[in-house]
Amino acid sequence: MSKILIRGAKVLGGEPQDVLITDETITAVGTDLTVSSAEGAQVIEADGKILLPGLVDLHTHLREPGREDSETVLTGTRAAASGGYTAVFAMANTFPVADTAGVVEQVYRLGQEHGYCDVQPIGAVTVGLEGKKLAELGAMHESAAGVTVFSDDGKCVDDAVIMRRALEYVKAFGGVVAQHAQEPRLTEGAQMNEGVVSAELGLGGWPAVAEESIIARDVLLAEHVGSRVHICHLSTAGSVEIVRWAKSRGIDVTAEVTPHHLLLTDELVRTYNPVYKVNPPLRTERDVMALREALADGTIDIVATDHAPHPHEDKDCEWAAAAMGMVGLETALSVVQRTMVDTGLLTWADVADRMSFAPARIGQATGHGRPISAGEPANLTLVDSAYRGEVDPAGFASRSRNTPYEGRELPGRITHTFLRGRATVVDGKLA
Amino acid sequence: MKRHLISAADLTRDDAVLILDTAEEMARVADRPIKKLPTLRGRTVCNLFFEDSTRTRISFEAAEKRLSADVINFAAKGSSVSKGESLKDTAQTLEAMGVDAVVIRHSASGAPYRLATSGWIDAPVINAGDGTHQHPTQALLDAFTMRRRLIGPDAGLGQDLGGRRITIVGDVLHSRVARSNVDLLHTLGAEVTLVAPPTLVPVGVETWPCEVSYDLDSVLPKSDAVMMLRVQRERMNAAFFPTEREYSRRYGLDGDRMARMPEHALVMHPGPMVRGMEITAEVADSGRCTAVEQVANGVSIRMAVLYLLLGGNEPAVSSPRTDRTEEK
């Protein structure tokens, strides 16, 4: 029997308490747990650090199978653990695409074997992400991987009939379709947000309306067929308004925002540095502020990283030739602290909701996003919120280094992560 | 002046006037029996063309040779965007060969900026046109042509284009020439009006230092120069306008429209012209059209830019590169 006593941690940012972990379970939470139950326990002095439930990322690209040069399930889950995550949902745009029971089972199994963080595969909505024919959603759900979230992320399910059918079909087993909202015709040749900066730089525009029109369509479809829809990486002020309106009508919609859309704007594209090239693109200051507000008031339910690793050569080139995406797992909590907590928009308890409780609920990640109380699985992360430091990608666990925050000072640091009572990160280092 | 010439917006008024004045000096070289100066002897300039271009490449080459530079031409089939040798590899190869300046044309907006700022290469970079972003030497030769015609070669020395009204017509959305001209003409004190169908005006244009009109006829009488941009026929297929005929009717320059312009006003075109689309043959071949002059002036302007960027008054054996200071 292994025992760990975390002493003096601010549970969800509240008053300091002691938390006792026995094997895989939290067995006691209280003040001054020096009772016999804690005897022989390994003690971790938390010194007022913040204790959160293990973070859950509903939107991660692990790249395995097919692009192991940018990330693997092993390197990606090590990056996740470093960032305080105990569960990640792996997007389906791999090679081959995760559109069959066989592929999702393999990804699931790799996650289990490595043991850094639970990997819950997301199944493709359509065969090969081509948007033409529904993939075997039922088979993926019934497989060992137990898929409940389906997405063609990277591509939009743009055919309204296919989207309708997918929304209807997953009702049979309580699944959810996560939409990458991007009207393809309006974004042909798109390189960055369409607006003042794109006009000046001569880069193809990705207009906000291309996102907003799909979201509007999909919330109406979800309402019509009585299903639920999840909106990936919402990025514009207009998208926020549409989701707010849909929720007010009682439509079953949830939405996510990425850390980078909470902090960075399209002004950065003036550098032509492809590290800032991402899909959906960085938007304007007005959009950033609207997204923060929406995350604070609950219109946007969760933060999801859209962790998108790319090898050096895919970013060390001219803008048009560069791949889209940014790594995010190891900086997500710091960016959320900087944009939401240090600005007074969210409490740490709210952060626990947006980054663990709610994503676990949307993705039905059993055993994750649970309260920090006796009898619950010991999936936990300890945050030193007083820490300030510059982001140094050289220290990343991820195989890729395409972070937009290199050299920036960000607050907060993960000192410990526990997956079912086993430390995956100790004193800021992978165990 | 900055070390590189990437964007017309990089130039101050004084920089621009200095280039125009230097180009007047260079233009005199063309009138000599031997059209050559020893200025860049022993310097190597590479023309790095990732996109098809005849006139710009020849113009730069003529300018380089008239200044006695050694010229290396690199024409990449297609572009580095299609996988193969990357811009970075090419740049590092040139660096290893020891080139003193790189003239680059690329289909990707921002490629020259990346080349100048990424640390792949240590030579000055001159943008010969990148995607739909900038084409600064084109804007300079246009301004040079206007100053010569509207003020005079000698009377224009030291002068800018203060108070002149310039109209730019056509596919502004896809035009690096339009962007560079708006920046430079504004810097030189001119008032610029863009005229195009709304589909060919970029979203975000409201922050540019110019006016926008959809009505060519109302702008023509108030123009000192009308610059017609090439409109590719393919744009029709992407529904930027319904038909070629409709485009010509609304935005093309024909004899009738030219007659509405003031007596002294110029018709300009960066080339290549699509006769019958944005300009009729009658207008293109009239004495008011400066298209051919612009080509000649392009050589003088590029000589001036190379001379000023490569410090042509220094000895041919340059000091070590490490002595150069970055102006960024």
Side-chain angles (χ1 to χ4, degrees):
Chain A
M1 197 163 66
S2 84
K3 285 190 183 180
I4 299 168
L5 181 64
I6 303 172
R7 203 149 48 193
K10 294 177 176 170
V11 176
L12 304 191
E15 287 305 304
Q17 290 185 291
D18 300 342
V19 175
L20 182 65
I21 302 171
T22 308
D23 293 332
E24 298 185 359
T25 311
I26 298 170
T27 45
V29 179
T31 43
D32 229 10
L33 288 188
T34 48
V35 285
S36 56
S37 60
E39 202 170 312
Q42 177 200 346
V43 177
I44 294 168
E45 294 294 351
D47 297 332
K49 294 190 183 92
I50 313 287
L51 188 66
L52 297 176
L55 306 181
V56 177
D57 189 20
L58 200 64
H59 194 144
T60 307
H61 296 275
L62 292 179
R63 303 291 188 223
E64 190 176 9
R67 284 306 303 268
E68 291 83 355
D69 56 326
S70 47
E71 198 81 286
T72 62
V73 175
L74 176 61
T75 59
T77 51
R78 284 166 62 92
S82 301
Y85 287 88
T86 53
V88 297
F89 283 73
M91 275 296 175
N93 62 335
T94 49
F95 304 94
V97 172
D99 56 4
T100 62
V103 180
V104 294
E105 282 186 350
Q106 184 202 4
V107 173
Y108 175 74
R109 185 180 50 78
L110 285 167
Q112 292 297 304
E113 278 176 14
H114 299 317
Y116 279 97
C117 146
D118 286 349
V119 175
Q120 182 54 58
I122 290 174
V125 176
T126 65
V127 174
L129 307 181
E130 283 170 2
K132 300 274 187 280
K133 188 172 173 295
L134 285 187
E136 289 190 340
L137 310 182
M140 289 189 271
H141 175 70
E142 283 158 17
S143 74
V147 176
T148 58
V149 182
F150 300 91
S151 181
D152 276 1
D153 181 62
K155 289 186 177 174
C156 179
V157 182
D158 64 311
D159 184 313
V161 171
I162 298 282
M163 187 62 184
R164 174 203 169 135
R165 300 281 186 258
L167 288 167
E168 286 177 314
Y169 192 79
V170 299
K171 284 179 5 175
F173 40 86
V176 62
V177 178
Q179 176 69 297
H180 170 118
Q182 176 180 0
E183 208 289 318
R185 286 279 282 140
L186 285 171
T187 51
E188 281 173 14
Q191 295 284 337
M192 68 170 296
N193 179 52
E194 182 164 31
V196 168
V197 183
S198 68
E200 198 177 314
L201 297 184
L203 288 170
W206 200 130
V209 64
E211 177 175 312
E212 293 155 9
S213 57
I214 292 287
I215 295 174
R217 181 198 76 177
D218 288 354
V219 295
L220 293 172
L221 281 174
E223 179 179 47
H224 181 65
V225 302
S227 188
R228 65 187 186 121
V229 66
H230 176 76
I231 308 298
C232 295
H233 42 51
L234 191 144
S235 71
T236 76
S239 296
V240 166
E241 290 306 315
I242 293 163
V243 170
R244 194 171 279 144
W245 170 86
K247 286 187 169 186
S248 75
R249 272 173 69 104
I251 297 172
D252 198 354
V253 56
T254 51
E256 71 188 39
V257 64
T258 67
H260 48 269
H261 287 114
L262 292 171
L263 182 62
L264 310 176
T265 71
D266 64 355
E267 288 292 329
L268 290 164
V269 182
R270 292 182 186 280
T271 63
Y272 282 109
N273 184 344
V275 79
Y276 301 116
K277 187 175 179 183
V278 63
N279 193 15
L282 300 177
R283 304 286 190 186
T284 65
E285 189 68 19
R286 190 177 76 88
D287 294 308
V288 167
M289 291 305 155
L291 293 168
R292 290 184 189 184
E293 195 184 311
L295 183 64
D297 72 18
T299 300
I300 294 176
D301 302 78
I302 64 169
V303 174
T305 67
D306 194 7
H307 175 82
H310 290 292
H312 183 66
E313 63 271 18
D314 287 359
K315 288 288 192 178
D316 191 30
C317 55
E318 50 276 46
W319 181 277
M324 290 178 163
M326 302 169 170
V327 291
L329 287 167
E330 295 172 80
T331 47
L333 194 70
S334 290
V335 175
V336 170
Q337 183 182 332
R338 157 87 181 273
T339 56
M340 303 300 296
V341 181
D342 293 353
T343 53
L345 289 165
L346 290 185
T347 64
W348 283 108
D350 296 328
V351 172
D353 176 69
R354 308 298 194 274
M355 296 185 76
S356 179
F357 300 156
R361 195 166 55 240
I362 295 165
Q364 299 170 56
T366 318
H368 293 276
R370 303 291 308 157
I372 299 178
S373 55
E376 296 290 351
N379 295 316
L380 299 165
T381 189
L382 194 59
V383 186
D384 178 2
S385 60
Y387 176 86
R388 297 286 180 277
E390 281 190 3
V391 176
D392 177 14
F396 280 2
S398 170
R399 180 162 285 183
S400 294
R401 300 280 179 269
N402 51 305
T403 174
Y405 310 114
E406 181 171 7
R408 271 182 191 252
E409 186 177 278
L410 288 177
R413 172 171 164 264
I414 305 294
T415 64
H416 294 73
T417 308
F418 298 93
L419 177 63
R420 284 183 290 279
R422 199 172 47 78
T424 52
V425 173
V426 175
D427 294 324
K429 293 186 177 59
L430 283 159
Chain B
M1 211 153 76
K2 292 193 171 175
R3 239 191 107 221
H4 309 286
L5 180 57
I6 305 296
S7 163
D10 295 340
L11 298 168
T12 63
R13 180 212 170 262
D14 291 350
D15 288 340
V17 170
L18 174 65
I19 295 170
L20 301 186
D21 291 352
T22 308
E24 285 292 357
E25 309 246 347
M26 297 297 177
R28 288 191 204 115
V29 176
D31 300 332
R32 297 184 191 173
I34 295 175
K35 302 176 176 44
K36 220 168 167 77
L37 292 174
T39 320
L40 297 183
R41 202 166 48 201
R43 301 295 191 88
T44 305
V45 180
C46 178
N47 299 321
L48 188 53
F49 279 67
F50 286 95
E51 197 185 50
D52 286 341
S53 150
T54 314
R55 67 185 64 211
T56 304
R57 193 178 57 74
I58 292 172
S59 177
F60 267 106
E61 196 174 340
E64 290 149 8
K65 287 179 170 165
R66 282 186 193 172
L67 291 171
S68 307
D70 296 321
V71 179
I72 299 172
N73 283 315
F74 178 103
K77 274 256 184 285
S79 75
S80 75
V81 177
S82 60
K83 284 289 178 199
E85 187 175 19
S86 70
L87 178 63
K88 181 182 177 181
D89 291 332
T90 308
Q92 290 178 330
T93 304
L94 295 174
E95 180 75 356
M97 291 175 183
V99 299
D100 296 292
V102 176
V103 175
I104 177 175
R105 156 74 62 103
H106 202 293
S107 60
S109 298
Y113 182 90
R114 284 284 280 161
L115 190 62
T117 58
S118 59
W120 300 332
I121 196 163
D122 189 37
V125 174
I126 299 171
N127 182 4
D130 63 327
T132 53
H133 176 223
Q134 283 276 332
H135 194 356
T137 57
Q138 178 71 44
L140 285 161
L141 72 88
D142 290 340
F144 182 77
T145 305
M146 287 182 235
R147 195 177 77 167
R148 273 195 143 187
R149 279 281 203 121
L150 297 171
I151 307 173
D154 295 323
L157 287 176
Q159 302 284 309
D160 57 21
L161 294 168
R164 307 288 165 168
R165 294 169 304 179
I166 315 298
T167 302
I168 302 175
V169 188
D171 186 355
V172 175
L173 179 64
H174 300 97
S175 176
R176 52 196 175 208
V177 175
R179 281 172 178 77
S180 285
N181 265 297
V182 168
D183 287 337
L184 184 70
L185 291 169
H186 173 72
T187 299
L188 290 170
E191 295 162 23
V192 181
T193 304
L194 301 174
V195 180
T199 46
L200 291 174
V201 176
V203 167
V205 74
E206 61 278 4
T207 62
W208 294 11
C210 61
E211 298 295 312
V212 177
S213 167
Y214 306 132
D215 178 16
L216 180 57
D217 292 318
S218 68
V219 181
L220 288 174
K222 299 175 288 186
S223 304
D224 297 306
V226 178
M227 192 181 295
M228 303 307 295
L229 301 171
R230 181 169 60 127
V231 177
Q232 296 178 347
R233 291 194 166 92
E234 305 83 87
R235 302 283 177 222
M236 189 173 80
N237 307 332
F240 286 105
F241 47 87
T243 62
E244 212 174 302
R245 230 183 20 208
E246 168 138 332
Y247 183 87
S248 302
R249 257 201 316 264
R250 292 177 63 84
Y251 299 99
L253 193 60
D254 59 10
D256 290 350
R257 281 206 167 108
M258 190 163 66
R260 282 179 225 162
M261 291 163 50
E263 274 305 302
H264 69 275
L266 318 174
V267 174
M268 304 181 70
H269 199 300
M273 293 188 265
V274 188
R275 285 181 167 80
M277 182 78 172
E278 74 267 6
I279 194 164
T280 61
E282 174 195 6
V283 174
D285 301 327
S286 81
R288 280 190 175 202
C289 181
T290 61
V292 178
E293 236 170 286
Q294 286 167 266
V295 176
N297 292 340
V299 178
S300 306
I301 278 289
R302 285 161 184 139
M303 285 172 77
V305 167
L306 286 158
Y307 172 85
L308 293 166
L309 280 188
L310 287 176
N313 48 1
E314 289 173 14
V317 181
S318 62
S319 51
R321 287 225 180 102
T322 46
D323 293 354
R324 289 184 181 158
T325 51
E326 271 292 352
E327 291 183 45
K328 264 287 169 219

